[in-house]
Amino acid sequence: MKRSRSAPTGAPVLVVDEELPDQWPEGTFLTSPAWLRMMGDRPPGRAYYFRLLRGGRTIAATTGYLIEDADCYESFNIHDLLWRYPPVFPDQERPSTRVPERAALFPFLAIVQPGYECEVVTREARVEEAVRDLLAEVNRWARQSGAVCTAVLYAAGPALAAALDAEQGWHRRSGTVRSVLDVPTGSFDDYLARLSKSGRQKVRWDLRDLLRAGVRTTLVDATGLGDTEVRLRMNLVAKYGGYSSLAVERSRLERLATLFPSERLRLFHSTTTGGDVVGFSLFISYGDQWHVFWCGFDYENPASRRTYFDAMFYSPVRVAQTEEVRTIDYGLGYEKSKKWRGCHTTPRDMWVTDLRGDVARWWEPVA
C-alpha cells in the first residue's frame, strides 16, 4: 500500500510504501534493493519505505519500522537501548537512573536498515537540507500514525549526524561502533605487520593450533550452500539465545540464492582431515567491499576451536587481497577479538525525538 502527503505545487511530497518500491534508489550495500528484499523482515514491527519526491524525482529516501512490541529484540528496542543496565552494548554510557515504564515508549518509529545501520540515500548537492526535510516529513507521518517517538538507530555518515544535531528536537544518545577492516595490499605478512605485537602473537597461536588440529579453511563454491551451513548457523543461534528459527534461516538462505548470484558470495569452510566441516563463514561482495552475512560452528567438536578467527579473518583476508577488496565490514560492536585482528571503528549513535510531549522529560537531567 502506498500513501503520500499532499503538498503545495513544487513542494516536496512524502511517499510511504509498505513494500519496497521499484523506484528505490541505489545507495550503500545496506540500503540497496537486494539487501532490503533479503533482510527487510529482520527488524520487528511493520516496515515502511519513505521517499521524499519533488517533481517525481527522489530527493531522499530511508526505511523505518513502526514497533509496537515492548519486549522486542534488544538491538531494536528503544527502552532497552536507552535505559537497560547493563547496557545493550558494552561501550554505551551508563543510562539515567530515572527510568520510564516500558510501555510509555511504544509504539515508536525506528528509522533503521536491517544490518543495524541508518542511512538516508540522497544525491542532492545540499545533503543536510535534504536529510532534514525527509526526517521532518517522516516525523509528521509517524505522529499521525500514533507513534510516541521517533528514533534514528545507528546513524551512519557525517551528513545524517550533522542534520540531527542541528535540530533542537532530536536528542543524541550513545550507541556503539561499527567495526571495519581495511584490507592491506600485498601479502598476509602485510596484514600481520599492521597488527599490534600482541595481535600478531594471537594470530600465530591460532594458526599453530589449527595446524596441530589438522583443520584448514578454504574458499569453496557458494553454489553448494545448504544443509551444512544451516546446521552450523543454528548452533550459533542457539548459543546466543535462540533469536531465530530453523524455518526462518532456511527461508533466508533461499532468498539469498535468489537475490545474490553465487559469484557475489564468498563461502569459507573450516574442514578437518577427515572431511568434517566444523565451521563456515559467508560474505557478500558489493563493489570493493565485503560484508559478513553468516557464520556457524560445530561447538561440540573440539576441532572447531579457533576456527572462528580463521573463517572470519585470516582466510578471508588472504582471498580479499587477491581480489583487491578494500574493506570488510564486520558489523556492530568492537570486541577485543576484532581489534586484535585489525578492525577500526566508526561511531553509530542514536537520536530520539518526542512526538507527543511526554517522553522527553525522561532524558532531560533532573533539576
Side-chain angles (χ1 to χ4, degrees):
M1 184 175 69
K2 180 182 293 184
R3 310 181 202 174
S4 61
R5 191 186 68 84
S6 61
T9 304
V13 176
L14 180 69
V15 176
V16 185
D17 292 284
E18 294 184 22
E19 301 290 339
L20 185 70
D22 293 337
Q23 302 82 9
W24 189 259
E26 184 80 24
T28 63
F29 172 71
L30 294 180
T31 61
S32 66
W35 177 253
L36 293 175
R37 290 190 179 97
M38 174 74 205
M39 296 294 287
D41 62 347
R42 175 69 180 89
R46 180 174 295 175
Y48 294 95
Y49 301 89
F50 301 106
R51 290 177 294 144
L52 193 62
L53 307 182
R54 180 184 287 122
R57 181 176 63 86
T58 299
I59 298 171
T62 194
T63 60
Y65 294 82
L66 192 60
I67 300 176
E68 299 181 356
D69 181 7
D71 296 314
C72 67
Y73 186 58
E74 60 183 13
S75 296
F76 298 105
N77 190 311
I78 188 62
H79 191 277
D80 287 349
L81 289 168
L82 293 182
W83 283 286
R84 199 186 80 175
Y85 191 78
V88 172
F89 298 101
D91 44 351
Q92 280 184 285
E93 64 190 23
R94 186 183 180 109
S96 167
T97 55
R98 300 174 66 243
V99 180
E101 292 291 331
R102 182 173 290 271
L105 278 294
F106 294 84
F108 82 101
L109 179 69
I111 302 179
V112 67
Q113 283 91 49
Y116 306 110
E117 187 103 312
C118 178
E119 293 201 52
V120 172
V121 182
T122 179
R123 295 185 180 89
E124 296 292 293
R126 302 170 71 173
V127 177
E128 289 184 29
E129 181 178 326
V131 171
R132 287 198 302 270
D133 289 346
L134 174 64
L135 293 179
E137 293 299 323
V138 169
N139 274 341
R140 290 190 184 96
W141 176 90
R143 186 180 292 109
Q144 294 171 1
S145 299
V148 172
C149 59
T150 300
V152 172
L153 303 182
Y154 317 118
L160 179 54
L164 290 162
D165 280 337
E167 297 293 324
Q168 290 185 345
W170 289 96
H171 299 261
R172 187 174 192 161
R173 287 294 177 266
S174 68
T176 183
V177 294
R178 196 166 194 94
S179 291
V180 176
L181 190 149
D182 294 326
V183 179
T185 57
S187 67
F188 190 72
D189 287 339
D190 295 299
Y191 162 71
L192 288 177
R194 295 173 54 175
L195 305 182
S196 65
K197 181 179 179 181
S198 61
R200 290 193 297 272
Q201 187 62 58
K202 290 179 186 299
V203 173
R204 293 189 182 103
W205 286 341
D206 290 341
L207 295 176
R208 178 202 64 192
D209 290 349
L210 288 166
L211 181 63
R212 290 174 176 173
V215 176
R216 293 182 65 242
T217 299
T218 56
L219 181 68
V220 299
D221 186 355
T223 58
L225 273 166
D227 291 342
T228 295
E229 289 75 25
V230 171
R231 174 177 60 83
L232 296 174
R233 166 70 176 169
M234 292 310 298
N235 288 347
L236 184 139
V237 168
K239 181 178 180 180
Y240 291 99
Y243 53 85
S244 187
S245 68
L246 181 61
V248 168
E249 298 303 295
R250 285 192 181 279
S251 173
R252 197 155 285 154
L253 181 60
E254 291 173 1
R255 268 185 286 172
L256 178 75
T258 301
L259 293 166
F260 294 95
S262 59
E263 57 266 26
R264 287 190 57 187
L265 304 178
R266 301 295 180 270
L267 175 63
F268 294 86
H269 276 181
S270 298
T271 310
T272 66
T273 52
D276 296 327
V277 180
V278 293
F280 86 97
S281 62
L282 179 61
F283 299 78
I284 300 176
S285 172
Y286 185 82
D288 59 0
Q289 308 164 13
W290 284 3
H291 294 261
V292 175
F293 178 64
W294 260 9
C295 67
F297 305 90
D298 188 353
Y299 297 111
E300 295 184 359
N301 190 328
S304 69
R305 185 172 181 266
R306 297 197 187 279
T307 53
Y308 172 84
F309 301 110
D310 198 13
M312 292 292 285
F313 292 92
Y314 314 147
S315 290
V317 164
R318 287 188 174 96
V319 174
Q321 287 178 312
T322 67
E323 297 187 7
E324 299 183 350
V325 174
R326 182 174 57 87
T327 59
I328 302 177
D329 179 3
Y330 284 94
L332 291 193
Y334 196 25
E335 296 90 348
K336 289 181 180 180
S337 62
K338 293 181 182 179
K339 178 179 179 181
W340 285 335
R341 286 155 184 89
C343 288
H344 65 84
T345 63
T346 51
R348 291 294 184 265
D349 287 337
M350 303 174 293
W351 280 258
V352 186
T353 189
D354 188 352
L355 299 178
R356 291 188 183 175
D358 57 357
V359 176
R361 62 191 177 96
W362 293 104
W363 56 71
E364 292 172 350
V366 180

